[in-house]
Amino acid sequence: TLRGEMSVQVGTGAQTSGAQRWGDYSTMQIDPDDDCTFWYTTEFTNSTSSANWATRIISFKFNNCH
């Protein structure tokens, strides 16, 4: 069953670089230790510029996973 969306970090800026590389460092993996925890990393920016981005890493799991 699909779940609803969730915001992790709201970025208030935009990348203006023409390199078209946004999202290269975005991935989601499941933790092999418990097969329930999802780890997600992605880029965001709070100010509009050509390359002023940062990284956010979060983890989450569904309540019914054991």
Side-chain angles (χ1 to χ4, degrees):
T1 303
L2 294 175
R3 309 292 181 182
E5 294 179 4
M6 136 177 111
S7 293
V8 175
Q9 175 76 40
V10 177
T12 57
Q15 185 182 34
T16 58
S17 169
Q20 300 175 350
R21 301 283 312 250
W22 189 258
D24 282 0
Y25 304 102
S26 180
T27 188
M28 183 181 293
Q29 302 291 324
I30 194 159
D31 195 322
D33 286 340
D34 67 4
D35 288 331
C36 286
T37 304
F38 291 84
W39 289 92
Y40 179 67
T41 179
T42 193
E43 301 158 284
F44 82 100
T45 184
N46 277 330
S47 60
T48 298
S49 70
S50 63
N52 187 22
W53 57 271
T55 302
R56 284 294 179 255
I57 301 171
I58 68 153
S59 67
F60 65 93
K61 68 171 110 179
F62 298 116
N63 293 333
N64 61 347
C65 190
H66 305 292

